[in-house]
Amino acid sequence: MTSSSFSSQDTQSFAQNHPDGLRADALMEEDVAWSHEIDGERDGDQFDRSERAALRRVAGLSTELEDVTEVEYRQLRLERVVLVGVWTSGTATDADNSLAELAALAETAGALVLDGVIQRRDKPDAATYIGSGKADELRDIVLETGADTVICDGELSPGQLIHLEDVVKVKVIDRTALILDIFAQHAKSREGKAQVALAQMQYMLPRLRGWGQSLSRQMGGGSGGGLATRGPGETKIETDRRRIREKMAKMRREIADMKTGRDIKRQERRRNKVPSVAIAGYTNAGKSSLLNRLTGAGVLVENSLFATLDPTVRRAETPSGRLYTLADTVGFVRHLPHHLVEAFRSTMEEVGDSDLILHVVDGSHPAPEEQLAAVREVVRDVGATKVPEIVVVNKADAADPLVLQRLLRNEKHSIAVSARTGQGIAELLALIDVELPHPAVEIEALVPYTLGRLVARAHSDGEVLSEEHTPEGTLLKVRVHEELAAEFAPYVPAPAA
């Protein structure tokens, strides 16, 4: 027997019944107010933010009517939503945290969360996700709150979507559609928009409705009693599906062409033996803030989910002077739609092709271990399991000390930092220097002073162990790659007899 929690007491407001730590605003809460002295140094120039704020008023475009009888009043308001979750495994706290994250996603998409309910079941109902009786109770909640949308904390099949909408009489979307909507709002680059569009078409293909639902799916066989022929409804659905498949094929070709440019840049870095570091982690864990702190990149930093989607690659330098690239990747989330994983696979290749992964986790989150597991699941999907990993526990200044100790104890290769205050950044840079692959060839060469460019290349492309200036030239002891070692070969002193 399955049990449920749709009693008169449990259907009270989700925001009132749960502690503040479980509300969406707690997940989105700012640690401190933004200040120019602290955050200006961390966030760089904030080019994206200034561009978004750069509005210029154009005079003479107002269409406001003075005659009140000719004015049509419109009320602009956010979409009002009710959240629904099915608790099939784990603890009640896990189920509450999952619904609180769904509320944060809904607010990021621009919705106003009115209520949230959870049902305890062995598995979601095959017809209406929550069962016919509970669907009727959900309809009463929708009428009571005045909501116009229901968001389910899971991926609904086309049949579940249709049946639940028939009962509650308002629009129903699932977690996958919500995340796709957020990605569509935040994608800025041409490649990012194409990837999101491809994922949306993959999601919509089996869920097509519209005119095909109102037209007949099958026509009678006529007075002769022959076989039935296809009706206009089925024809319309098949036409729509064919058009979507054609658009998807075109979109895949465009993404493949754009991927070629990034592959060329990546091959150039490999040719020059430049190590690469990828920043991966849960959404809103502070990846962009860490990138700004390490490189001064000036990318957008917001206290919201999926604020940045497009990968950013910046040049950085280790404390010993070695150059490497630092790439900020798209954030992950629990139950990340497989459509997005496939569409963003070319972008996520930055993680698989890197020499080191900085796995950023939010130390102040109620369940940081779940964040780690969710990100590692996606990393496995893109084939990056063999890449060395450093777990960076961010927001250490706002985290519970006991949680920090637990994370650092369980994750053997980890470090606690704060991108806001700079705590632990120096130690992280030193750890990156140690973990990056070292050049294979160690040589000692006496380079003439006329070949200063060769000494400069030893500093930029190799690892200088010692440097001494003598009357004959610069005596270097370095680790370099094989190609550069061949250029140093003429200046290696002959062994003593």
Side-chain angles (χ1 to χ4, degrees):
M1 296 274 306
T2 59
S3 59
S4 64
S5 60
F6 271 32
S7 63
S8 59
Q9 179 181 0
D10 294 332
T11 53
Q12 298 298 321
S13 173
F14 180 77
Q16 297 175 355
N17 277 357
H18 295 77
D20 291 341
L22 298 179
R23 291 178 58 114
D25 53 0
L27 294 178
M28 313 285 285
E29 183 180 2
E30 290 283 3
D31 296 333
V32 293
W34 192 90
S35 65
H36 180 74
E37 292 77 8
I38 297 177
D39 299 84
E41 177 185 357
R42 172 191 65 177
D43 296 338
D45 295 333
Q46 288 292 306
F47 303 119
D48 293 357
R49 180 176 295 171
S50 62
E51 289 176 1
R52 293 187 180 190
L55 295 178
R56 180 172 60 88
R57 185 179 297 278
V58 180
L61 297 183
S62 175
T63 58
E64 183 178 2
L65 300 177
E66 296 181 357
D67 187 357
V68 71
T69 60
E70 300 179 17
V71 177
E72 179 183 358
Y73 290 96
R74 294 182 178 92
Q75 182 182 12
L76 180 64
R77 62 179 176 85
L78 298 176
E79 204 164 1
R80 300 159 64 86
V81 302
V82 171
L83 310 180
V84 180
V86 172
W87 170 22
T88 58
S89 61
T91 64
T93 302
D94 295 336
D96 292 342
N97 287 337
S98 180
L99 207 64
E101 182 179 88
L102 185 67
L105 289 168
E107 292 181 1
T108 301
L112 179 63
V113 179
L114 301 178
D115 206 346
V117 289
I118 298 175
Q119 184 190 15
R120 183 70 171 95
R121 296 180 64 96
D122 292 338
K123 61 180 181 180
D125 183 72
T128 60
Y129 184 67
I130 55 177
S132 57
K134 301 308 173 187
D136 292 335
E137 294 183 29
L138 178 61
R139 179 187 58 198
D140 297 336
I141 296 175
V142 169
L143 292 174
E144 179 185 351
T145 57
D148 48 33
T149 303
V150 171
I151 303 179
C152 297
D153 192 15
E155 184 167 347
L156 272 61
S157 67
Q160 289 173 325
L161 199 65
I162 294 173
H163 292 151
L164 191 57
E165 278 189 352
D166 289 342
V167 176
V168 298
K169 306 302 181 183
V170 295
K171 181 174 66 175
V172 177
I173 64 174
D174 57 13
R175 184 187 182 95
T176 300
L178 179 61
I179 295 176
L180 288 172
D181 182 73
I182 296 173
F183 271 59
Q185 292 181 32
H186 292 180
K188 296 184 297 181
S189 68
R190 178 168 170 258
E191 184 175 13
K193 292 178 180 178
Q195 289 168 329
V196 173
L198 176 60
Q200 287 177 322
M201 286 187 286
Q202 287 176 321
Y203 174 78
M204 287 302 301
L205 186 60
R207 295 170 173 83
L208 285 181
R209 286 183 287 170
W211 280 107
Q213 197 176 30
S214 60
L215 298 176
S216 59
R217 298 297 299 271
Q218 186 169 316
M219 295 175 62
S223 58
L227 295 176
T229 58
R230 293 186 178 184
E234 188 170 1
T235 303
K236 179 66 170 64
I237 290 178
E238 290 181 344
T239 301
D240 292 341
R241 286 175 179 167
R242 185 178 68 252
R243 289 175 178 173
I244 287 183
R245 290 191 185 100
E246 291 173 354
K247 290 182 180 180
M248 288 171 58
K250 179 182 177 182
M251 203 68 68
R252 287 193 180 99
R253 290 193 297 269
E254 293 179 359
I255 293 175
D257 293 339
M258 290 182 279
K259 177 179 177 293
T260 303
R262 189 168 54 253
D263 288 342
I264 292 175
K265 295 178 182 177
R266 193 181 297 128
Q267 290 173 4
E268 184 70 14
R269 294 196 294 266
R270 288 175 180 171
R271 187 178 65 83
N272 294 328
K273 304 298 182 182
V274 179
S276 61
V277 178
I279 301 178
Y282 212 77
T283 180
N284 206 34
K287 300 182 298 299
S288 298
S289 297
L290 184 63
L291 177 69
N292 289 341
R293 172 65 72 173
L294 294 176
T295 66
V299 299
L300 174 69
V301 173
E302 278 186 356
N303 188 30
S304 64
L305 306 182
F306 300 114
T308 52
L309 294 183
D310 304 312
T312 302
V313 181
R314 290 292 182 268
R315 180 175 173 176
E317 186 175 331
T318 65
S320 63
R322 299 169 60 199
L323 293 178
Y324 66 97
T325 60
L326 198 61
D328 181 19
T329 61
V330 62
F332 303 143
V333 72
R334 280 181 296 185
H335 311 300
L336 189 68
H338 65 276
H339 310 291
L340 279 175
V341 176
E342 289 298 324
F344 278 78
R345 184 171 294 275
S346 59
T347 301
M348 294 176 182
E349 286 176 357
E350 293 288 348
V351 178
D353 292 338
S354 62
D355 298 300
L356 180 66
I357 296 176
L358 297 184
H359 186 165
V360 184
V361 60
D362 183 358
S364 63
H365 191 271
E369 288 85 0
E370 293 183 8
Q371 290 191 352
L372 287 168
V375 173
R376 283 169 176 161
E377 181 180 353
V378 180
V379 169
R380 284 195 300 269
D381 291 341
V382 298
T385 54
K386 296 183 179 180
V387 182
E389 174 192 70
I390 298 177
V391 176
V392 182
V393 185
N394 194 23
K395 305 182 184 180
D397 55 320
D400 186 347
L402 296 178
V403 175
L404 283 181
Q405 293 177 11
R406 186 179 75 237
L407 287 173
L408 296 177
R409 181 176 63 252
N410 295 337
E411 300 293 335
K412 302 303 180 183
H413 208 48
S414 58
I415 184 173
V417 304
S418 173
R420 184 180 67 85
T421 64
Q423 171 189 343
I425 296 298
E427 292 80 359
L428 176 59
L429 287 171
L431 188 57
I432 293 174
D433 199 356
V434 172
E435 292 297 325
L436 281 177
H438 295 274
V441 183
E442 181 176 334
I443 60 176
E444 186 172 352
L446 183 62
V447 183
Y449 288 118
T450 56
L451 295 178
R453 60 172 182 80
L454 200 55
V455 177
R457 287 198 60 190
H459 282 277
S460 62
D461 300 341
E463 184 178 352
V464 178
L465 303 178
S466 65
E467 183 176 5
E468 181 183 353
H469 298 287
T470 67
E472 293 80 13
T474 304
L475 183 62
L476 288 175
K477 186 176 182 181
V478 295
R479 286 196 186 100
V480 293
H481 299 285
E482 295 179 358
E483 294 84 351
L484 189 55
E487 299 185 33
F488 275 98
Y491 311 104
V492 175

